[in-house]
């Protein structure tokens, strides 16, 4: 018979196992935290954006990089970060010496797998929003730096 | 086997083997999957759904009727009204409606498939005895509802993944003949084509329910015999064997699914019931053809009238 017959509760649970959620984050606080970290990470990207690329394409390239990285990384957080940096041809020396970025990595290393998947998922499903916020943040950072330099 | 008249509940899980595109509409050149609004955590959310209408037609009526047509050896001989009744449930077309119990009894005895599904003769509607449940995506938003359907020991206690994880996108391209290399060797009158003319390459995209998603659905039957339950499973089996699909774009490989039936509280041998149904059809096929011809007489074509 070509219909699969599920004869007991065990078989039923086995069939459903692929839908069980052991990784998603539901707490509102955690969601806010992930959003903030996404914005921080993306707002750091203009610093390491390659000089070989047209500066006018900065945000276009960043948003495309995020989107393509989410589809290529297979939910691997480190791969995701790497793909994004690769897409904007980030300068490895600038990345390695950036304190903001190394603090971000130190923070994320301590996070659970579900946190990391939620981070990637947030970037994928809300990438227009996150890029907009990141750009705002980057403008603020620039303005602050300008003020500091003026003092 | 004792031929009991019983009421059954059959719980099923549909597993998608390819992207499922059971659509609800189009926005520009993007197709949107069928979703229903539900209230979840005091909010309205939209969750993919497969309509009972679609399940009923694809899995039962279409598969079961094709089998009957083959068995009755009436391929190519069916009148339009007969075809309409068998494959789409028929329609009322006489001005006066009636309730002819003996006619209903005759149909129900001859055609277990239409006793299950019901249908419309020209002057009366016959209710079926099969209720088809909508296909609910197995996701966190639907967990409470699915648990309402399931028997106590099958209730889902684990948290499920949210619906949006099961939704993805597809994009296809339709080429443009103008882009064919050496077009002039294939097509006629192409000298007028302007080289600078823009290509008409068509991109079209849409939403899909991703592969390996699960839908919960089911059937409930009211007071049916072993022959009818055999008929139900026989139709499901035929549908399943013939590259079972649900939704649209099967031509592009979408909609392929497998069905899993939960055998809870069903203490009869389904294979035996299927054999009973096959026997019934073989034994009654001449009577079935006669009944169809009597209730849906074929219209004479113009040639017949002139000859007559």
């Amino acid at each position: 018979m070509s219909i699969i017959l599920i004869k007991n509760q065990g078989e039923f649970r086995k069939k459903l196992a692929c839908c069980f959620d052991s990784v998603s984050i539901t707490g509102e606080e955690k969601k806010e935290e992930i959003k903030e970290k996404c914005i921080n990470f993306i707002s750091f990207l203009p610093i390491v954006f390659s000089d070989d690329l047209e500066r006018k394409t900065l945000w276009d390239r960043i948003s495309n990089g995020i989107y393509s990285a989410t589809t290529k990384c297979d939910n691997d957080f480190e791969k995701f970060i790497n793909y994004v940096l690769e897409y904007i041809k980030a300068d490895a020396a600038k990345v390695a010496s950036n304190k903001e970025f190394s603090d971000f990595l130190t923070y994320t290393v301590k996070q659970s797998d579900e946190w990391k998947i939620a981070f990637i998922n947030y970037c994928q499903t809300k990438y227009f929003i996150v890029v907009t916020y990141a750009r705002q943040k980057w403008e603020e950072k620039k303005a602050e730096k300008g003020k500091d330099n003026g003092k | 086997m004792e031929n009991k008249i019983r009421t059954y509940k059959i719980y099923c899980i549909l597993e998608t083997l390819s992207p499922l595109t059971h659509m609800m509409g189009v926005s520009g050149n993007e197709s949107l999957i069928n979703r229903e609004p539900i209230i979840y955590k005091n909010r309205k959310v939209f969750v993919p759904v497969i309509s009972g209408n679609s399940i009923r037609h694809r899995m039962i009526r279409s598969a079961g009727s094709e089998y009957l047509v083959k068995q009755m050896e009436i391929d190519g001989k069916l009148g339009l009204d007969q075809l309409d009744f068998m494959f789409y449930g028929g329609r009322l077309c006489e001005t006066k409606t009636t309730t002819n119990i003996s006619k209903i009894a005759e149909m129900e005895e001859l055609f277990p498939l239409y006793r299950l599904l019901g249908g419309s003769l020209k002057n009366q509607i016959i209710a079926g005895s099969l209720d088809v449940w909508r296909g609910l995506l197995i996701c966190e938003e639907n967990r409470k509802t699915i648990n309402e359907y399931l028997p106590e020991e099958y209730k889902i206690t684990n948290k499920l993944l949210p619906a949006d994880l099961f939704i993805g996108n597809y994009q296809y391209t339709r080429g443009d003949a103008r882009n064919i290399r050496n077009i002039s060797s294939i097509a006629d009158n192409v000298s007028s084509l302007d080289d600078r003319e823009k290509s008409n390459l068509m991109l079209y995209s849409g939403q899909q329910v991703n592969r390996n998603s699960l839908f919960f659905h089911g059937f409930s039957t009211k007071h049916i015999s072993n022959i009818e339950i055999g008929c139900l499973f026989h139709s499901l089996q035929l549908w399943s064997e013939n590259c079972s699909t649900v939704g649209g774009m099967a031509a592009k490989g979408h909609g392929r699914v497998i069905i899993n039936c939960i055998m809870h509280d069903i203490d009869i041998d389904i294979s035996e019931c299927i054999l009973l149904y096959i026997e019934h059809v073989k034994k009654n096929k001449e009577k079935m053809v006669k009944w169809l011809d009597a209730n849906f007489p074929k219209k004479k074509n113009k040639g017949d009238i002139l000859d007559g």
Side-chain angles (χ1 to χ4, degrees):
Chain A
M1 196 156 168
S2 53
I3 305 166
I4 298 165
L5 302 177
I6 296 176
K7 289 179 182 149
N8 57 48
Q9 197 195 355
E11 286 179 23
F12 176 67
R13 284 186 61 78
K14 214 168 151 189
K15 186 56 72 186
L16 250 57
C18 64
C19 299
F20 290 156
D21 185 2
S22 56
V23 294
S24 84
I25 287 186
T26 48
E28 287 304 313
E29 265 177 45
K30 279 276 177 200
K31 279 183 183 169
E32 275 306 308
E33 181 201 308
I34 287 166
K35 182 179 171 181
E36 194 194 317
K37 293 292 171 195
C38 284
I39 294 167
N40 283 347
F41 166 64
I42 297 166
S43 69
F44 141 82
L45 296 175
I47 302 170
V48 293
F49 190 80
S50 171
D51 294 336
D52 299 342
L53 299 170
E54 186 76 50
R55 196 73 189 175
K56 272 193 268 180
T57 64
L58 176 74
W59 289 103
D60 208 16
R61 204 143 175 110
I62 288 175
S63 57
N64 287 341
I66 291 164
Y67 191 75
S68 87
T70 58
T71 56
K72 288 192 292 188
C73 72
D74 193 23
N75 276 349
D76 180 323
F77 181 76
E78 288 180 355
K79 266 191 197 170
F80 169 75
I81 302 292
N82 217 60
Y83 280 136
V84 174
L85 294 171
E86 222 174 64
Y87 200 89
I88 57 166
K89 295 191 175 175
D91 184 311
K94 274 190 197 169
V95 173
S97 61
N98 189 286
K99 189 171 178 315
E100 197 183 336
F101 183 66
S102 71
D103 286 350
F104 168 76
L105 281 187
T106 316
Y107 180 83
T108 56
V109 131
K110 292 177 207 156
Q111 302 307 314
S112 59
D113 285 347
E114 52 263 46
W115 190 95
K116 290 172 185 168
I117 291 172
F119 183 97
I120 297 167
N121 193 32
Y122 186 83
C123 287
Q124 184 170 37
T125 53
K126 296 182 179 163
Y127 86 110
F128 281 113
I129 309 298
V130 81
V131 166
T132 310
Y133 281 131
R135 188 174 183 168
Q136 272 175 15
K137 180 132 192 169
W138 166 243
E139 297 296 338
E140 282 167 20
K141 276 186 198 170
K142 269 200 307 187
E144 263 176 39
K145 210 178 169 190
K147 269 186 206 168
D148 291 346
N149 289 343
K151 276 179 190 173
Chain B
M1 186 171 51
E2 194 191 349
N3 191 9
K4 287 181 191 167
I5 299 291
R6 279 182 56 176
T7 292
Y8 296 94
K9 271 188 193 170
I10 299 150
Y11 309 93
C12 302
I13 294 174
L14 276 185
E15 206 176 334
T16 59
L17 296 184
S18 68
L20 184 92
T21 38
H22 179 55
M23 315 311 290
M24 70 179 293
V26 173
S27 168
N29 63 352
E30 188 184 11
S31 309
L32 305 171
I33 49 169
N34 192 12
R35 298 202 210 198
E36 64 179 348
I38 63 166
I39 303 300
Y40 175 70
K41 290 190 177 172
N42 301 332
R43 273 188 242 165
K44 186 156 92 172
V45 292
F46 292 81
V47 182
V49 67
I50 307 174
S51 72
N53 195 37
S54 167
I55 294 175
R56 185 183 173 84
H57 178 77
R58 285 283 175 95
M59 295 188 193
I60 317 289
R61 191 181 283 278
S62 181
S65 295
E66 268 178 41
Y67 171 74
L68 286 179
V69 167
K70 271 189 197 144
Q71 291 304 308
M72 292 192 281
E73 295 167 29
I74 50 174
D75 321 45
K77 296 174 198 163
L78 277 166
L80 199 59
D81 289 342
Q82 294 174 342
L83 198 67
D84 210 21
F85 172 74
M86 291 182 79
F87 284 84
Y88 299 100
R91 65 194 70 188
L92 283 175
C93 54
E94 285 179 7
T95 45
K96 273 189 184 171
T97 55
T98 175
T99 307
N100 185 336
I101 303 287
S102 64
K103 201 184 255 187
I104 297 175
E106 200 183 358
M107 188 209 79
E108 290 189 342
E109 197 187 336
L110 281 176
F111 294 97
L113 181 67
Y114 305 127
R115 161 142 162 65
L116 281 174
L117 294 168
S120 178
L121 304 183
K122 291 188 164 198
N123 57 4
Q124 64 180 323
I125 288 178
I126 302 172
S129 47
L130 173 75
D131 290 344
V132 180
W133 309 345
R134 286 156 79 77
L136 305 176
L137 181 71
I138 300 186
C139 62
E140 185 57 21
E141 289 86 338
N142 276 336
R143 183 158 61 109
K144 191 169 165 269
T145 314
I146 293 171
N147 276 342
E148 294 295 330
Y149 284 94
L150 283 167
E152 196 53 44
E153 57 270 41
Y154 281 80
K155 298 226 185 285
I156 308 166
T157 47
N158 293 57
K159 199 170 174 295
L160 298 170
L161 292 168
D164 69 334
L165 280 189
F166 296 99
I167 301 165
N169 295 292
Y170 67 85
Q171 180 177 289
Y172 291 115
T173 311
R174 179 169 294 165
D176 181 5
R178 271 172 282 202
N179 290 340
I180 298 175
R181 274 184 207 164
N182 303 327
I183 185 171
S184 54
S185 63
I186 309 168
D188 187 23
N189 198 20
V190 288
S191 54
S192 60
L193 278 181
D194 185 347
D195 285 344
R196 288 162 301 171
E197 200 175 336
K198 275 189 183 170
S199 161
N200 253 341
L201 196 72
M202 184 174 121
L203 291 175
Y204 58 105
S205 56
Q207 293 181 312
Q208 65 180 34
V209 176
N210 298 331
R211 193 154 67 86
N212 289 352
S213 304
L214 302 178
F215 282 86
F216 172 78
H217 77 105
F219 304 99
S220 45
T221 62
K222 289 159 276 182
H223 314 297
I224 63 166
S225 70
N226 290 353
I227 291 184
E228 276 111 27
I229 192 88
C231 168
L232 174 64
F233 275 94
H234 183 246
S235 300
L236 286 175
Q237 193 176 350
L238 289 173
W239 167 77
S240 191
E241 282 167 0
N242 289 308
C243 288
S244 42
T245 61
V246 170
M249 304 228 293
K252 293 176 185 67
H254 287 215
R256 183 83 171 88
V257 289
I258 344 176
I259 189 167
N260 300 262
C261 292
I262 302 164
M263 304 306 284
H264 173 76
D265 211 15
I266 296 181
D267 53 1
I268 48 165
D269 184 339
I270 296 295
S271 308
E272 254 186 72
C273 293
I274 292 176
L275 286 177
L276 269 180
Y277 174 65
I278 292 171
E279 277 302 309
H280 171 90
V281 173
K282 277 186 186 158
K283 206 170 86 186
N284 291 293
K285 60 185 184 185
E286 280 88 15
K287 282 186 194 167
M288 287 173 166
V289 178
K290 271 186 197 158
W291 186 90
L292 272 178
D293 285 339
N295 285 283
F296 300 98
K298 289 174 204 161
K299 283 172 193 154
K300 287 183 177 177
N301 59 35
K302 276 181 188 170
D304 292 341
I305 294 165
L306 286 174
D307 293 343

